[in-house]
Amino acid sequence: MIYSVLLACAGLASQALAACTREQLQEATAAYVKAQAAGDLQLTALASNVTYLENDTPMDISKGVLSQAITIDLNRSLHDTTECATFTEISAATNKEPYVIHTRMLFTDGKITTIQSVVANDGDWAFNATGQLYWSKQEKWDPIPEDKRDTRDVIKAAGDAYLDSWGDGKVKVPYGTPCARLEGGMYTGSGRPNANTCQMPEFPQPFKITNRRYVIDEEVGGLDIFNDFPFIDANKPNGTASTNLIRVEGGKIRYIHEVTICSKRNCGR
């Protein structure tokens, strides 16, 4: 009897932790993309007290990029049922003002309680929306067969190793072959599509990427890490808003998309 009660309690706890389904999260990202295309803030799942940030700065959602109608050329999303969170990448190369937008949404009781967007445009690091769109469209982000999917821990560890290696070149990163990095609009795989071109050099010390925030989707081997990128922007030595979208296949990194915000053109470099 006690054993049955414990099992029932464990089941209820599991349901409480998984308070959202993939279908609910997919509906939310589809609604977000539709809202961004229309510049319409009337998201049905939006909490009345939603926290809204752009480039790590809290702001009034009615004054943010979400209030602008944007021509969206390509979008892809990750759905994290463990953390009740989503990530969406928007490529808007043909918009009047081109953008690449990375957005993380957090949910509580079915409502969007936090929206964090890294909004890149002209002047941000290596920004080229046309190039970003072109190369992104060449990539394959299809769902991975269930028996070949990596675990959440494996996917997260791959992303962390990648960022850790920037400060410590001895960190072993599970790069795949091929592996390509899309940095702004620059694609490392353009000349050698079958090679590993993702490896990063060690940055000047001390160097540590902090304030990492994760969205993980095992179905597509996807991971996005919102983070504070130090060094790159002299005006923000402790870190500027940045994200890395990563695809992991068979425990190896296949694709990386980096978007980094600059306080002045190309971070003054």
Side-chain angles (χ1 to χ4, degrees):
M1 178 67 175
I2 293 175
Y3 182 68
S4 299
V5 171
L6 288 174
L7 281 178
C9 289
L12 288 173
S14 176
Q15 289 175 21
L17 287 172
C20 49
T21 67
R22 187 171 187 85
E23 291 71 25
Q24 289 171 330
L25 296 179
Q26 288 174 326
E27 288 176 6
T29 53
Y32 162 70
V33 170
K34 184 177 179 180
Q36 183 63 87
D40 181 3
L41 300 175
Q42 301 306 310
L43 281 164
T44 55
L46 198 66
S48 58
N49 61 340
V50 64
T51 298
Y52 182 78
L53 301 92
E54 281 188 16
N55 301 336
D56 287 344
T57 301
M59 64 185 301
D60 183 339
I61 193 171
S62 67
K63 295 180 171 61
V65 72
L66 190 53
S67 66
Q68 303 174 30
I70 289 176
T71 301
I72 297 174
D73 301 299
L74 182 68
N75 71 89
R76 58 171 53 94
S77 293
L78 306 180
H79 305 94
D80 187 335
T81 56
T82 299
E83 294 295 333
C84 283
T86 66
F87 166 82
T88 300
E89 178 180 67
I90 287 176
S91 302
T94 61
N95 192 59
K96 183 177 181 181
E97 179 180 1
Y99 287 109
V100 175
I101 302 171
H102 281 190
T103 293
R104 174 175 177 257
M105 299 195 297
L106 307 181
F107 297 75
T108 302
D109 297 329
K111 293 292 186 181
I112 303 168
T113 52
T114 300
I115 300 177
Q116 300 173 330
S117 291
V118 171
V119 183
N121 57 11
D122 185 44
D124 288 315
W125 181 250
F127 184 80
N128 181 331
T130 300
Q132 197 274 348
L133 175 62
Y134 174 81
W135 290 112
S136 189
K137 288 171 72 173
Q138 312 307 309
E139 298 178 346
K140 185 177 180 180
W141 287 73
D142 296 342
I144 294 171
E146 191 168 358
D147 61 341
K148 294 183 178 180
R149 290 175 193 168
D150 292 302
T151 66
R152 183 180 186 85
D153 288 344
V154 166
I155 295 169
K156 181 177 181 293
D160 277 334
Y162 173 66
L163 293 187
D164 289 345
S165 73
W166 298 10
D168 181 357
K170 297 187 294 295
V171 172
K172 294 189 181 300
V173 183
Y175 293 118
T177 302
C179 179
R181 186 176 73 252
L182 181 54
E183 188 171 332
M186 300 184 300
Y187 200 61
T188 62
S190 60
R192 295 189 296 152
N194 296 317
N196 167 22
T197 59
C198 290
Q199 189 161 351
M200 289 285 287
E202 183 177 294
F203 283 88
Q205 300 300 309
F207 185 96
K208 186 175 182 180
I209 294 180
T210 59
N211 195 23
R212 301 183 189 185
R213 290 143 285 164
Y214 304 86
V215 176
I216 301 172
D217 184 339
E218 298 94 329
E219 185 169 306
V220 296
L223 162 71
D224 188 81
I225 309 176
F226 273 56
N227 63 88
D228 295 342
F229 185 0
F231 172 77
I232 192 73
D233 191 327
N235 289 339
K236 295 187 174 183
N238 294 325
T240 186
S242 183
T243 82
N244 285 267
L245 171 62
I246 297 169
R247 162 96 164 184
V248 177
E249 300 175 355
K252 305 292 186 180
I253 297 176
R254 177 63 183 91
Y255 302 122
I256 303 168
H257 293 187
E258 180 191 324
V259 174
T260 297
I261 303 304
C262 296
S263 61
K264 58 182 178 180
R265 176 166 288 276
N266 217 36
C267 294
R269 297 182 181 278

